[in-house]
Amino acid sequence: MSQYEGLISNDDPDAIHLVVLTGMSGGGKTVALRALEDLEFYCVDNLPSALLPQLVEAATRGDSHRRRIAVGVDVRNRDEDFQHMPRVLSALAATVHVHLIFLDCNDAVLIKRYSETRRRHPLAIRGMSLADAIAEERRRLRPLMAIAERVIDSSDLNVHQLRRLIATGYAQTTAGLTLMFQSFAFRRGLPLDSDFVFDARCLPNPHWEPTLRPLSGKDGPVREFLERQPVVGEYFTDTARWLDAWLPRFEADDRSYVTISIGCTGGRHRSVYLVEKLAAHYRTGRESVLTFHRELE
């Protein structure tokens, strides 16, 4: 089965789905987990395998009943976790739909990614090179890769493409259109995957307020500053009205995914605020709404 096919099936709307994300460090597990979180999965990162049954039980009972759960598992877990994982997942499969997704990436790209971000590989201990750490990680994860339902190679994917891959894989099994709202800085160029681009540079800029400059559009003081500006409210209302009028046309044309990009000068304040506000607006009536903030990643 292709990595581009649906992640889960919604034939039974009451079914409980557990997606376990694992794979190479630097392969995109965090991006994939955030994409599922935006799709209203209950997400937990780096959980020991022995606690998976308790997590599923706690998440699916009572008033907070969750039908979609995603868990990140990586090489930070102990070796015995990887040895026990197949048995744990097999036992869970008796009551829930279990999907093990492995995010792979070739060694050369992994080394490049670590070099560019200056991140430290979780296995890069004293005396072990990055290449040796990657090789050791492959050895430890080999049993999970062998039983994975999907193997996604992220070598040629950027974060936007990987997020879209996860979202569209899920969207193909759900009704309606999946919306991706993303913020960006015009000075760094337009996101190439945009279907629509809105320019927020005409709005008052929190950057010029010294106390707001280090914050982002997700922070309360920035939101309060922008909400005090009548023109910001007008911009949001007009943008939402335009999207309300035209998104149904795309649904009628059998589109499953649309990306709406909002840019400002630095991509940290105005565009982030508008993306979060628009996403919240559309989540009240849609199941699949994602957000991505390019300059905050």
Side-chain angles (χ1 to χ4, degrees):
M1 183 176 289
S2 166
Q3 67 177 358
Y4 293 93
E5 293 185 39
L7 288 176
I8 65 176
S9 170
N10 277 351
D11 293 339
D12 179 2
D14 295 321
I16 298 170
H17 292 272
L18 170 66
V19 175
V20 179
L21 288 165
T22 188
M24 300 299 295
S25 301
K29 178 175 66 67
T30 300
V31 172
L33 198 62
R34 286 177 181 172
L36 291 175
E37 186 173 31
D38 280 343
L39 291 171
E40 299 186 356
F41 278 71
Y42 181 75
C43 295
V44 179
D45 195 13
N46 199 31
L47 187 76
S49 61
L51 297 181
L52 275 173
Q54 291 94 317
L55 171 66
V56 172
E57 180 183 359
T60 57
R61 71 185 177 195
D63 295 336
S64 60
H65 182 71
R66 308 285 188 122
R67 292 190 175 87
R68 296 183 178 89
I69 307 164
V71 177
V73 176
D74 60 36
V75 78
R76 291 173 292 175
N77 290 33
R78 298 176 301 175
D79 275 351
E80 48 265 40
D81 273 345
F82 300 125
Q83 297 168 10
H84 296 157
M85 183 71 72
R87 176 176 54 81
V88 172
L89 295 181
S90 178
L92 283 169
T95 55
V96 303
H97 294 272
V98 177
H99 313 272
L100 179 60
I101 313 299
F102 191 98
L103 288 153
D104 198 12
C105 186
N106 71 55
D107 291 3
V109 172
L110 288 175
I111 290 173
K112 184 173 184 290
R113 288 176 181 174
Y114 272 99
S115 299
E116 289 176 346
T117 62
R118 299 180 183 269
R119 287 174 53 201
R120 184 178 177 84
H121 191 282
L123 293 182
I125 59 177
R126 187 181 299 275
M128 181 180 288
S129 68
L130 177 56
D132 289 341
I134 291 171
E136 173 63 15
E137 182 177 35
R138 285 199 185 282
R139 183 192 68 78
R140 295 189 188 185
L141 293 176
R142 194 172 295 123
L144 293 185
M145 186 177 184
I147 64 170
E149 178 181 309
R150 305 283 192 279
V151 176
I152 298 175
D153 187 347
S154 69
S155 302
D156 297 321
L157 302 176
N158 60 34
V159 291
H160 310 281
Q161 292 165 332
L162 177 57
R163 200 176 180 101
R164 179 186 284 250
L165 173 62
I166 296 295
T168 53
Y170 176 73
Q172 287 169 357
T173 62
T174 60
L177 193 67
T178 293
L179 302 181
M180 164 70 87
F181 290 96
Q182 62 179 335
S183 64
F184 71 96
F186 273 97
R187 66 188 181 192
R188 291 191 56 204
L190 295 175
L192 297 180
D193 56 349
S194 304
D195 293 300
F196 300 107
V197 176
F198 293 91
D199 188 347
R201 288 176 293 184
C202 60
L203 302 179
N205 192 352
H207 174 82
W208 301 116
E209 298 289 331
T211 59
L212 302 181
R213 187 173 301 172
L215 305 179
S216 81
K218 289 184 174 184
D219 294 313
V222 174
R223 293 199 307 269
E224 292 166 8
F225 170 86
L226 291 170
E227 286 167 0
R228 288 196 300 267
Q229 317 297 324
V231 68
V232 176
E234 293 174 19
Y235 189 101
F236 167 79
T237 300
D238 287 346
T239 303
R241 183 184 298 118
W242 191 90
L243 291 171
D244 286 343
W246 288 99
L247 288 176
R249 306 291 183 94
F250 285 86
E251 287 179 303
D253 198 37
D254 293 329
R255 284 283 293 272
S256 63
Y257 195 97
V258 168
T259 298
I260 299 102
S261 299
I262 303 178
C264 60
T265 307
R268 290 187 54 85
H269 298 111
R270 295 164 292 182
S271 59
V272 171
Y273 166 80
L274 287 166
V275 159
E276 291 293 325
K277 190 171 178 65
L278 283 165
H281 169 73
Y282 282 101
R283 282 182 179 131
T284 61
R286 292 177 177 270
E287 183 178 357
S288 302
V289 178
L290 297 91
T291 60
F292 181 72
H293 302 292
R294 190 179 75 178
E295 318 311 340
L296 301 186
E297 294 295 318

